[in-house]
Amino acid sequence: MDTEDTRRATIGDVAAHAGVSVTTVSHVLSGRRPVSTATQQKVRRSIDLLGFRPNEIARSMRSQRTHTAALVVPNIAHVVYPFVARGITEELRPLGYQISIYDTDDDPVVKADVLQVITDRRVDGVILFGFDITSTDAAVLTGASIPFVNGGLNAEVDGPYDCVRSDQRAGLEITTRHLIERFGGPLAFVGGLPGDGPADLRESGFRRAMAAAGLPVDERLVARVPYSWEGGREALAQLLAKDLPIRAVVCANDLIAIGGMAMARERGLRVPEDLAFTGYDNIEAGTMVVPTLTSVESFLDEQGRSCARLLIDRLGRGYGGPARHVSIDTALVVRASSGGTGS
Amino acid sequence: MDTEDTRRATIGDVAAHAGVSVTTVSHVLSGRRPVSTATQQKVRRSIDLLGFRPNEIARSMRSQRTHTAALVVPNIAHVVYPFVARGITEELRPLGYQISIYDTDDDPVVKADVLQVITDRRVDGVILFGFDITSTDAAVLTGASIPFVNGGLNAEVDGPYDCVRSDQRAGLEITTRHLIERFGGPLAFVGGLPGDGPADLRESGFRRAMAAAGLPVDERLVARVPYSWEGGREALAQLLAKDLPIRAVVCANDLIAIGGMAMARERGLRVPEDLAFTGYDNIEAGTMVVPTLTSVESFLDEQGRSCARLLIDRLGRGYGGPARHVSIDTALVVRASSGGTGS
DNA sequence: CAGTATCTGCAAATCGTCTTGCACACCACG
DNA sequence: CGTGGTGTGCAAGACGATTTGCAGATACTG
């Protein structure tokens, strides 16, 4: 038996209980018009007694604002996105925004659907992270006058939308330069498969650093494999089989580097004494393998925070004005795999 | 300047454009009353022309349903929660629910606030994962008649709420038994700090398996440290310093095990020939360290799916009926750290 | 004492959708 | 020609809050 009334109290219930009109209750709540102290107290007591809380749906209906920002990501289980989400939340929650995270399951159809749904729900703003934005996607949002920010690896620096990214090319230049300074050469490079998002950017970073140091790239020492531990093992097996001298390996991400190190050690090489390694992304596993892995930190939480700030800014300015582009710096984290200690 | 009208079309605009009443448009949309084919076509054309989409806020207001479920987690950046989120999404999205993920920043105050806010927004249901539910938390939700399900390590099997958990005690019994069968003894145990959520449960699993095998627990071989890589290193350093014979180490999670293995190898021990290890949680890093780590998989996505199913069920049945409790089985994953191959 | 501010508080309209009660037209049947 | 279905469509009233126009009390001013 429900002793409790199942329906939540409305502002009307409060007004009736306090013996005033709904207007008065609303004014007590919002403070937009003066209300006598006596009346205020009556009203507040009724509110407490009835456990009244304003219905946000009704509020949104009236005010046309939902105090909600949506974060859309391709796959929340991919390591990078949770950190981005935390950065965004930290920035936006204090301003009274709730963050709803939506996962598109790596499926463009689901992405389109999600975008439509959040548009129908009239979120105040959207942060897309980790996508190539299609013009249809953008049209859905702009058509509903919903501001959005694009972040992540594929965010177009030159696009017409606000965007945030980290400069991966520069990041790979840093690791390459680091290995050149410490060991000279010859250097091998293990990249991701072409077309896999950041692969081209990262490889171009390697090449640029080599060129800047006046070193030629030996194409026999360039391998491209899936961004995985197994990929790294395979790449190193191939490289070592060629029996060419190699002093260090620049890897395009940490999984490849960790797999590569494992293979090198299986083949009797000492890391970093015989062969040094660097990775990219600074994943947790890199701190737990032996030797610990030199990598590049791209400050995902900061990327998230930047997205949030851009969105806030856009919320204030409306759709007008130029698109803003923010680049987040990366940082080298030197560990044992490249000789360790300091940078 | 704005060629586009910034306001989205409403059902009224459609009606005016098609020369019919809003009722008719609504009936075309919902199909709840027959509408002549000619009228239907007129209306549909107007809808397309105007790009009309029903305002979900207004819909929710009217229907008292938001088609939204909230997932609340302590910290989305903690490895386990994204997988849970994926499981939930997979189960709930096909049923037309949107999933909003909320992060409480490991802060009970934020948790209370988030719960209040999602209540105010009238989500249809809530999944709490990874919390100790306080009676206040529950009261907020039940007071608003919002069904919820509690999942995760601390979900109370005997509590009055629907809940899902994996049997960690059984999981640790499995690893302990596995090591006993392979190596006999003596066995050491490295657990988490007492009071840190699952620590007590996991330790009791170890003890139960030892008792079942008729083996005494040597308390000198029991260490308790933070659930971290550093904790594992420290624990092994302490244990090895005692200079007692140890054949294998049961660790309460993978981070501890990986750190412990690293320390053991630094001290010149071979893993698993001199000292075998097992972990718990089956994190990715365990597949990348040398030797690879034997662990326990607890099927987080399946836990998520179960939560979702329980919630759906509750959504259908309403608040009545008994609380349901689901336990998700765990599975041993044997890798090199305990001798490898097969189970 | 009349005239004018300043407080208070109410009634009613609004946000966008869905649903219910009616009404009108048309057809068929006895 | 009445009677009773079907189709078809409109007007009006929720849902729960906010805001605006008004009006009755007071209090202050000349």
Side-chain angles (χ1 to χ4, degrees):
Chain A
M1 337 296 177
D2 281 334
T3 54
E4 186 97 38
D5 187 353
T6 186
R7 194 176 63 86
R8 263 180 70 154
T10 72
I11 197 171
D13 298 335
V14 174
H17 185 270
V20 299
S21 73
V22 292
T23 318
T24 305
V25 178
S26 179
H27 287 331
V28 169
L29 254 29
S30 67
R32 295 182 66 91
R33 278 208 192 159
V35 175
S36 73
T37 323
T39 310
Q40 282 212 26
Q41 290 191 341
K42 262 196 310 185
V43 171
R44 290 197 190 289
R45 204 147 46 82
S46 297
I47 287 175
D48 289 345
L49 246 50
L50 272 53
F52 166 76
R53 301 215 95 219
N55 180 325
E56 279 300 324
I57 306 261
R59 244 180 191 177
S60 298
M61 174 105 172
R62 180 72 231 252
S63 67
Q64 309 285 38
R65 334 211 83 254
T66 52
H67 304 288
T68 301
L71 166 64
V72 186
V73 298
N75 182 343
I76 189 66
H78 189 300
V79 280
V80 306
Y81 301 114
F83 291 98
V84 175
R86 301 245 337 146
I88 292 171
T89 305
E90 282 167 20
E91 196 78 12
L92 248 29
R93 191 177 345 252
L95 273 61
Y97 286 96
Q98 284 301 312
I99 319 300
S100 291
I101 306 173
Y102 294 88
D103 183 328
T104 69
D105 203 16
D106 286 315
D107 182 340
V109 177
V110 175
K111 176 179 65 166
D113 183 53
V114 164
L115 249 31
Q116 192 59 263
V117 167
I118 62 185
T119 299
D120 294 343
R121 306 228 168 152
R122 302 291 193 277
V123 296
D124 290 343
V126 177
I127 295 173
L128 291 140
F129 206 100
F131 297 102
D132 289 316
I133 305 284
T134 70
S135 55
T136 328
D137 295 339
V140 168
L141 294 171
T142 53
S145 305
I146 297 178
F148 68 94
V149 174
N150 186 20
L153 305 181
N154 302 326
E156 312 164 36
V157 264
D158 304 321
Y161 319 123
D162 290 345
C163 89
V164 173
R165 35 161 297 185
S166 78
D167 194 341
Q168 303 176 75
R169 183 188 288 151
L172 247 116
E173 281 183 65
I174 294 174
T175 59
T176 306
R177 199 180 325 130
H178 168 70
L179 290 175
I180 292 172
E181 283 168 5
R182 289 217 169 171
F183 307 104
L187 255 57
F189 176 76
V190 183
L193 293 175
D196 186 351
D200 303 334
L201 269 177
R202 292 187 179 181
E203 182 166 336
S204 75
F206 166 72
R207 290 180 185 279
R208 204 144 83 169
M210 292 290 276
L215 297 175
V217 172
D218 183 344
E219 296 298 337
R220 294 169 303 173
L221 298 186
V222 173
R224 296 183 192 86
V225 293
Y227 276 124
S228 65
W229 187 77
E230 291 79 8
R233 287 178 60 84
E234 193 191 327
L236 258 286
Q238 287 173 15
L239 288 174
L240 294 176
K242 293 180 180 170
D243 215 20
L244 298 164
I246 312 178
R247 183 60 190 85
V249 185
V250 178
C251 300
N253 84 348
D254 287 347
L255 294 176
I256 289 176
I258 293 171
M261 288 200 298
M263 176 56 73
R265 284 159 59 97
E266 277 179 34
R267 294 294 161 87
L269 295 170
R270 292 168 304 163
V271 179
E273 292 82 355
D274 300 325
L275 191 59
F277 279 84
T278 59
Y280 199 103
D281 290 341
N282 197 25
I283 65 175
E284 189 184 21
T287 68
M288 302 192 298
V289 292
V290 180
T292 53
L293 179 64
T294 293
S295 190
V296 173
E297 167 66 43
S298 32
F299 304 106
L300 293 161
D301 57 337
E302 185 54 33
Q303 291 188 49
R305 270 194 292 270
S306 272
C307 285
R309 281 192 288 260
L310 244 42
L311 187 63
I312 293 164
D313 190 50
R314 182 58 73 183
L315 252 26
R317 294 190 307 155
Y319 256 112
R324 295 180 52 187
H325 302 141
V326 174
S327 186
I328 305 297
D329 287 337
T330 56
L332 183 68
V333 182
V334 178
R335 296 203 186 89
S337 72
S338 68
T341 62
S343 69
Chain B
M1 333 320 182
D2 280 337
T3 55
E4 185 99 39
D5 187 353
T6 186
R7 195 176 61 86
R8 267 179 69 152
T10 72
I11 197 171
D13 299 334
V14 174
H17 186 271
V20 299
S21 73
V22 292
T23 317
T24 305
V25 178
S26 180
H27 287 331
V28 169
L29 254 29
S30 68
R32 296 184 65 92
R33 279 208 193 160
V35 175
S36 74
T37 322
T39 310
Q40 283 212 25
Q41 290 190 343
K42 264 194 311 186
V43 171
R44 288 196 192 289
R45 205 148 44 82
S46 297
I47 287 176
D48 289 345
L49 247 49
L50 272 54
F52 166 75
R53 301 214 96 221
N55 180 324
E56 281 297 326
I57 305 260
R59 255 188 180 167
S60 298
M61 175 105 173
R62 178 71 232 250
S63 68
Q64 309 285 38
R65 337 211 80 252
T66 51
H67 304 288
T68 301
L71 167 63
V72 185
V73 298
N75 181 346
I76 190 64
H78 189 300
V79 280
V80 306
Y81 301 114
F83 291 98
V84 175
R86 302 255 324 153
I88 291 171
T89 305
E90 282 167 21
E91 195 78 15
L92 248 28
R93 188 172 355 247
L95 275 60
Y97 286 96
Q98 284 302 313
I99 320 300
S100 291
I101 306 173
Y102 295 88
D103 183 326
T104 68
D105 203 17
D106 287 315
D107 182 340
V109 177
V110 175
K111 176 179 67 167
D113 183 52
V114 164
L115 250 29
Q116 192 59 263
V117 167
I118 62 184
T119 299
D120 294 343
R121 306 229 166 151
R122 301 292 193 274
V123 297
D124 291 343
V126 177
I127 295 173
L128 290 140
F129 206 100
F131 296 102
D132 290 316
I133 306 284
T134 69
S135 56
T136 327
D137 296 338
V140 168
L141 294 170
T142 55
S145 305
I146 297 179
F148 67 94
V149 173
N150 185 19
L153 306 181
N154 302 327
E156 311 163 36
V157 265
D158 305 321
Y161 320 123
D162 291 345
C163 90
V164 172
R165 34 162 297 185
S166 77
D167 194 340
Q168 303 177 75
R169 182 188 289 152
L172 247 119
E173 281 184 65
I174 296 174
T175 58
T176 306
R177 200 180 323 129
H178 168 69
L179 289 176
I180 292 172
E181 284 168 4
R182 290 217 168 170
F183 307 104
L187 257 57
F189 175 77
V190 182
L193 293 176
D196 186 350
D200 303 335
L201 268 176
R202 292 187 179 178
E203 182 166 336
S204 75
F206 166 73
R207 291 180 184 278
R208 202 144 83 172
M210 291 292 276
L215 298 175
V217 173
D218 182 344
E219 297 298 337
R220 293 170 304 173
L221 299 186
V222 173
R224 296 181 191 86
V225 293
Y227 276 124
S228 66
W229 187 77
E230 291 79 9
R233 287 178 59 84
E234 192 190 327
L236 258 286
Q238 288 173 15
L239 287 174
L240 295 176
K242 293 180 179 170
D243 214 21
L244 298 164
I246 312 179
R247 183 61 192 84
V249 184
V250 179
C251 300
N253 84 347
D254 287 348
L255 293 176
I256 289 176
I258 293 172
M261 289 199 298
M263 177 56 74
R265 284 158 59 95
E266 277 179 34
R267 296 290 162 89
L269 294 170
R270 292 168 305 162
V271 179
E273 293 83 354
D274 299 325
L275 190 59
F277 278 85
T278 59
Y280 199 105
D281 291 340
N282 198 26
I283 65 175
E284 189 184 21
T287 68
M288 302 193 300
V289 290
V290 180
T292 54
L293 178 64
T294 293
S295 191
V296 174
E297 167 66 43
S298 35
F299 304 106
L300 293 161
D301 57 337
E302 184 55 32
Q303 292 187 48
R305 273 195 290 272
S306 272
C307 284
R309 283 193 287 262
L310 243 41
L311 186 62
I312 293 164
D313 190 52
R314 182 58 72 182
L315 251 27
R317 294 189 307 157
Y319 255 112
R324 295 179 53 187
H325 301 142
V326 174
S327 187
I328 306 296
D329 286 339
T330 56
L332 183 68
V333 181
V334 178
R335 297 203 186 90
S337 72
S338 68
T341 64
S343 72

